[in-house]
Amino acid sequence: MSDSRLRALKPSLGGAEGRLDALLISGPPNIRYLSGFTGSNALLLVTAGGATLLTDPRYTLQAARQTQLPVRVGKGPLGALAADIAKRRKFKRLGVERNRISFETWEALRNALPAACELVPVTNAVENLRMVKLPEEIALIRDSVETNSRAFRRALKSFRPGMRESELAAEIDYQARRAGAEAPAFETIVASGERSAFPHARPTSEKIAGKTILLIDMGCFQAGYASDMTRTLHAGKAPKAFKQVYRDVLDAQLAAIDAVRPGVTAGEVDRAARKALTKSGHGQAFVHSTGHGLGLEIHEPPRIGEKGDIVLETGFVITIEPGVYFEGWGGIRIEDTVVVTESGCEVLTPTTKELIEL
Ligand code: GLY
Ligand code: MN
Ligand code: MN
């Protein structure tokens, strides 16, 4: 598993930043992707000839089970351990992950390495590889998405008007764990009434009224992979005005899904949703981007936003989640997880998008 992923990383050792003797990976999801190791304290030193995992004694047994790669166990800052290896092997240019390395590790490296060894910041080397999901990753995301939808269905069974937002959120998290999830992928959002106008609302202790908007945004991690789904429901019978806006958001979501195929930019997908919502008069109320990549992290490249210039490829997994938000009224967002296929995309989320009236 990790061999082919490490091989794919090799061009980064001679990429835009020039020739590197090694690349030091410090982002936990990147380490997991390349080595299989899931511990919280590790570095992965990648050279053209292979890779070595550095971790501390708490993880000796776990590392031996999770990775085929050689493991060096050390006490104290792992940056110092990496610097020892770099000195011994007389590295002159050591790449580090610009958006992942901690200041502490940077400092430990800088203090221990000779001045002749340059630290070279590298951007998104592993994240760029991770955008194209391998078949085994798509299978795991599919499982996570299905677990998430199962939890949604089961949690709704215990919905009662007057239930607190926080109670429904707890029920969702509980059902997700029971259905196979390891953890929520983010803090579950249950927002009712006017609070649904906050795109990232936190569940409150407010009671959900008998007749009101109910926005639920939930995701889980299963076998390390994320899922992400939003459904906006209506407690009680939905008024006509709500139904119309719901239809407008759904049309925008379907237009964006329709735009997803290999060769289009993230920006083109975003514009498909934006154009539809502008046409229905809600352009100003769509205050965020259309979606994001997901995988070992809940938010990862590419961002599906107006300026997104990343070209979609077969195997990308992204969310499509347009929404509109009106102060004093509420918000409506509809979100699915989709995988880019050779001919377009497949919507992985099995939950209906027909309006649910509870
Ligand atoms: N709940 C975060 C998101 O949908 O991106
Ligand atoms: Mn979401
Ligand atoms: Mn999302």
Side-chain angles (χ1 to χ4, degrees):
M1 173 273 263
S2 58
D3 271 6
S4 59
R5 299 181 191 187
L6 280 168
R7 268 199 303 280
L9 187 62
K10 280 214 185 117
S12 295
L13 293 169
E17 288 79 9
R19 209 188 73 75
L20 302 171
D21 294 303
L23 182 55
L24 186 66
I25 306 298
S26 42
N30 291 342
I31 292 172
R32 179 173 190 161
Y33 182 76
L34 295 171
S35 74
F37 181 66
T38 62
S40 64
N41 186 33
L43 292 172
L44 185 70
L45 191 63
V46 181
T47 63
T52 304
L53 182 78
L54 315 179
T55 188
D56 70 64
R58 291 174 301 165
Y59 289 117
T60 306
L61 291 179
Q62 185 178 327
R65 286 203 184 171
Q66 289 184 323
T67 185
Q68 316 287 324
L69 298 172
V71 180
R72 282 276 307 268
V73 175
K75 291 182 181 156
L78 296 180
L81 191 58
D84 275 350
I85 300 172
K87 269 195 291 193
R88 206 159 21 79
R89 297 183 62 177
K90 299 196 166 47
F91 291 161
K92 292 279 175 288
R93 287 169 56 77
L94 175 60
V96 294
E97 293 186 292
R98 171 181 271 118
N99 57 342
R100 301 281 191 177
I101 191 168
S102 70
F103 185 73
E104 188 184 30
T105 299
W106 169 279
E107 209 172 33
L109 287 169
R110 200 55 285 165
N111 289 340
L113 286 171
C117 181
E118 192 185 346
L119 292 178
V120 184
V122 171
T123 306
N124 285 347
V126 186
E127 287 81 353
N128 288 343
L129 293 181
R130 283 172 46 203
M131 282 196 291
V132 179
K133 268 63 182 179
L134 303 163
E136 62 267 27
E137 294 185 283
I138 293 171
L140 293 174
I141 295 171
R142 192 187 294 275
D143 288 346
S144 179
V145 165
E146 284 172 4
T147 292
N148 197 46
S149 285
R150 202 170 302 130
F152 173 80
R153 186 164 45 78
R154 290 180 184 165
L156 282 191
K157 286 193 183 144
S158 48
F159 173 78
R160 302 282 176 274
M163 191 177 197
R164 297 180 197 280
E165 291 174 352
S166 52
E167 283 177 87
L168 183 54
E171 185 64 28
I172 286 168
D173 294 352
Y174 172 71
Q175 291 295 346
R177 288 293 287 258
R178 290 204 55 160
E182 292 143 6
F186 52 89
E187 203 179 326
T188 301
I189 295 173
V190 173
S192 64
E194 292 182 16
R195 281 182 299 285
S196 57
F198 299 124
H200 273 185
R202 297 184 109 169
T204 68
S205 55
E206 291 293 322
K207 292 182 173 172
I208 302 167
K211 194 170 175 193
T212 197
I213 300 175
L214 180 59
L215 187 151
I216 297 173
D217 185 354
M218 59 187 284
C220 66
F221 281 115
Q222 182 169 318
Y225 281 84
S227 46
D228 195 1
M229 170 178 85
T230 307
R231 289 293 181 266
T232 308
L233 305 79
H234 206 279
K237 217 175 137 31
K240 236 170 132 189
F242 176 90
K243 283 187 177 164
Q244 182 57 54
V245 184
Y246 187 90
R247 187 70 240 174
D248 294 339
V249 174
L250 182 55
D251 285 347
Q253 206 246 5
L254 295 173
I257 288 173
D258 216 40
V260 175
R261 61 184 166 276
V264 305
T265 64
E268 286 173 87
V269 175
D270 181 85
R271 282 192 290 280
R274 221 160 283 282
K275 192 173 149 199
L277 283 171
T278 302
K279 203 168 151 211
S280 56
H282 307 308
Q284 296 297 319
F286 180 22
V287 295
H288 51 72
S289 55
T290 293
H292 53 87
L294 95 178
L296 286 170
E297 292 173 283
I298 179 65
H299 294 128
E300 52 182 59
R303 180 166 178 270
I304 312 296
E306 260 183 304
K307 298 201 177 94
D309 55 6
I310 291 177
V311 177
L312 303 190
E313 294 176 37
T314 303
F316 278 27
V317 177
I318 58 175
T319 67
I320 300 293
E321 51 177 305
V324 295
Y325 309 91
F326 303 100
E327 192 180 358
W329 185 80
I332 297 178
R333 178 167 68 253
I334 302 172
E335 173 179 32
D336 286 329
T337 299
V338 312
V339 55
V340 182
T341 61
E342 277 172 24
S343 57
C345 76
E346 181 194 352
V347 177
L348 297 179
T349 311
T351 302
T352 182
K353 288 183 279 196
E354 289 296 312
L355 175 60
I356 298 172
E357 294 170 298
L358 290 169

